[in-house]
Amino acid sequence: MFRIAISRLTDHGRRITPEHRGTALSIDEAVLELEKILPTVDTTVFGGDAVQRSVNRVNDFRHDVSTTEGDRYRVVIAPMM
């Protein structure tokens, strides 16, 4: 299982406000959850292999994304321990 955390970034990334927390059974399911919550975000960087390699190396995957409206978010996908 994986946990998903989506936070809004403001003040040029200095302030992080939690927006959503959830769980998923797989990385693919986590990406589908992200697409539901932030439908205008390009999720190509969240390909299963890239996320899995990062999880294996540093125990999570973090990436900052922007919506087409200009809002910025930090997405974290990490295994549940």
Side-chain angles (χ1 to χ4, degrees):
M1 284 191 71
F2 294 86
R3 64 181 170 86
I4 308 159
I6 301 172
S7 302
R8 182 181 298 268
L9 299 174
T10 56
D11 298 330
H12 304 290
R14 288 186 294 236
R15 173 174 268 162
I16 299 173
T17 306
E19 293 279 321
H20 175 82
R21 291 178 189 251
T23 59
L25 293 175
S26 68
I27 292 171
D28 292 334
E29 193 175 297
V31 173
L32 288 175
E33 180 82 14
L34 170 64
E35 290 172 343
K36 288 179 190 174
I37 297 164
L38 301 172
T40 62
V41 167
D42 178 16
T43 58
T44 56
V45 73
F46 293 92
D49 290 340
V51 175
Q52 189 64 56
R53 281 192 306 271
S54 180
V55 166
N56 290 346
R57 268 191 341 266
V58 293
N59 209 30
D60 69 11
F61 177 84
R62 296 169 188 255
H63 190 71
D64 293 349
V65 297
S66 296
T67 63
T68 56
E69 298 84 20
D71 296 324
R72 296 181 53 229
Y73 294 88
R74 175 161 297 148
V75 177
V76 178
I77 300 173
M80 298 204 41
M81 302 241 174

